[in-house]
Amino acid sequence: MLQETIVSMAIAGAIVGAATGGWINDAYGRKKATLIADVIFIIGAFGMAAAPDPYILIIGRLLVGLGVGIASVTAPVYIAEASPSEIRGSLVSTNSLMITGGQLLSYIVNLAFTHVPGTWRWMLGVSAVPALVQFILMLLLPESPRWLFMKNRKNEAVDVISNIYDLARLEDEIDFLTAEAEQDRQKNKNVKFGDVFKSKEIRLAFMVGAGLMVFQQFTGINTVMYYSPTIVQMAGFRSNELALQISLFVAAMNTVGTVLGIYLIDHAGRKILALCSLGGVFASLVLLSVAFSNHSSAAAVSNITGWLAVLGLILYIAFFSPGMGPVPWAMNSEIYPKEYRGICGGMSATVCWVSNLIVSQTFLSIAEALGTGLTFLILAVITVLAFLFVLIFVPETKGLTFDEVELIWKERAWGSTNIN
């Protein structure tokens, strides 16, 4: 319970961060939101490293999670709003690459500090370094041009756009954003949480965005990433160092798969990529279920059964990381109208972190109560539901402008005849 609580408290903080992140984004801008997230994270990292007891460690984890939650809302929106539509998916997916690359780096750091005095303090404290680097580099980056237009700061927005587009396209983009800003002023509307559910098309968009986030978590990705050393030990590899080495390879597969996803998301498309990913995830979860069903988690196992479980973990990551890793974040950065993008992005990220908390807080307990094999089988059944959800409800948004995506929801809500 204490292990689950320490792991999950960061996710609890992320829930609060994601819930408030949309408002912070819309009120203060994408750049300031990122800087705020970095400062909170750095304080939390130092708090964890210096913790005299588990309770201070838990508070440090809460602060780190708060920073992560704000960043999880901000980064995809900031990237999407500063990206040309034809490469938007690839650039937003780079965010997922940085996450998986960071997880790989964390396993390398953990392995390096395994035999160092004060082992876990170094492991947790060093996480302040990338947050500090991002804070410094973010000071050199501009604000989102769309947010600047939204706040009627046209001259600043034009300066930013001129660094993104060539002269041939620059005037069109300025005219487009100017027209959007004028429409927003005419609406004169401050979007609130309740407004998301009053509009049928926004309600449909949010259902898809939030649904993708739920299934991303309930198909078990963070079970694998948070607890892979523990899962490897359950499979019979008792050495802490060997468990970390195998988990390092799993994390490396995650990073490689994400790179593949960045290429495929703007070539194959979001929907087909998610469907293929879920098909492979289902097969690998069944393999994991079979491997763990042959023994109890406490029993000694044969090398064949243990390596079968490791193979299942590797295949899981190989299929998940190119598809269900980046696709939900990419979709949530592009399926909402501009005035709803901050608040809906924050709500979807909150749904993601709540789902993440449920999975990470219960996995070890459920595995102990029902058996690891049955636990993975339950995840496989959820994956089937996720496949059907994507097949039926998720539209393809590859290469579409924000306006074209908005039209999809209007047509689904009211029918193409009424829209025309």
Side-chain angles (χ1 to χ4, degrees), residues 148-347:
L148 290 170
F149 264 101
M150 203 161 62
K151 296 299 180 180
N152 203 25
R153 292 158 61 176
K154 183 175 179 181
N155 291 337
E156 295 174 64
V158 170
D159 289 340
V160 176
I161 295 171
S162 63
N163 290 317
I164 300 173
Y165 300 103
D166 56 29
L167 287 173
R169 189 168 168 183
L170 181 60
E171 189 174 343
D172 289 340
E173 290 294 327
I174 292 172
D175 289 343
F176 174 69
L177 289 175
T178 301
E180 274 197 333
E182 182 60 32
Q183 289 174 5
D184 289 342
R185 279 193 292 275
Q186 289 175 0
K187 290 177 183 177
N188 193 26
K189 179 181 180 183
N190 292 318
V191 177
K192 300 179 178 64
F193 286 104
D195 296 330
V196 174
F197 302 100
K198 291 177 183 176
S199 167
K200 189 175 180 181
E201 57 264 36
I202 304 303
R203 197 162 61 239
L204 288 171
F206 178 68
M207 181 194 74
V208 167
L212 284 169
M213 289 301 193
V214 169
F215 284 120
Q216 183 192 58
Q217 297 305 314
F218 274 83
T219 49
I221 179 56
N222 284 314
T223 293
V224 171
M225 293 313 299
Y226 296 159
Y227 293 118
S228 58
T230 304
I231 294 169
V232 169
Q233 288 180 325
M234 286 177 176
F237 300 93
R238 299 301 180 190
S239 164
N240 286 336
E241 191 168 355
L242 179 59
L244 276 172
Q245 288 170 345
I246 294 173
S247 299
L248 175 62
F249 183 74
V250 171
M253 285 291 298
N254 197 16
T255 305
V256 171
T258 305
V259 174
L260 179 62
I262 289 173
Y263 172 79
L264 291 175
I265 199 165
D266 279 324
H267 290 79
R270 283 74 157 143
K271 184 168 185 172
I272 189 66
L273 189 57
L275 290 172
C276 292
S277 175
L278 287 166
V281 165
F282 172 77
S284 57
L285 286 170
V286 171
L287 180 61
L288 280 165
S289 178
V290 170
F292 279 101
S293 293
N294 290 333
H295 60 86
S296 68
S297 60
V301 296
S302 68
N303 285 336
I304 295 176
T305 306
W307 285 110
L308 189 65
V310 171
L311 176 62
L313 282 177
I314 292 169
L315 288 176
Y316 178 96
I317 288 297
F319 281 108
F320 185 96
S321 54
M324 282 303 288
V327 167
W329 292 106
M331 293 289 289
N332 271 280
S333 71
E334 63 190 10
I335 60 175
Y336 307 117
K338 179 162 59 65
E339 63 269 25
Y340 286 91
R341 200 166 298 141
I343 196 163
C344 285
M347 289 168 67

Side-chain angles (χ1 to χ4, degrees), residues 380-398:
V381 172
I382 295 172
T383 303
V384 174
L385 298 177
F387 186 93
L388 294 174
F389 176 84
V390 172
L391 186 66
I392 296 168
F393 295 110
V394 176
E396 182 54 73
T397 58
K398 181 183 74 169

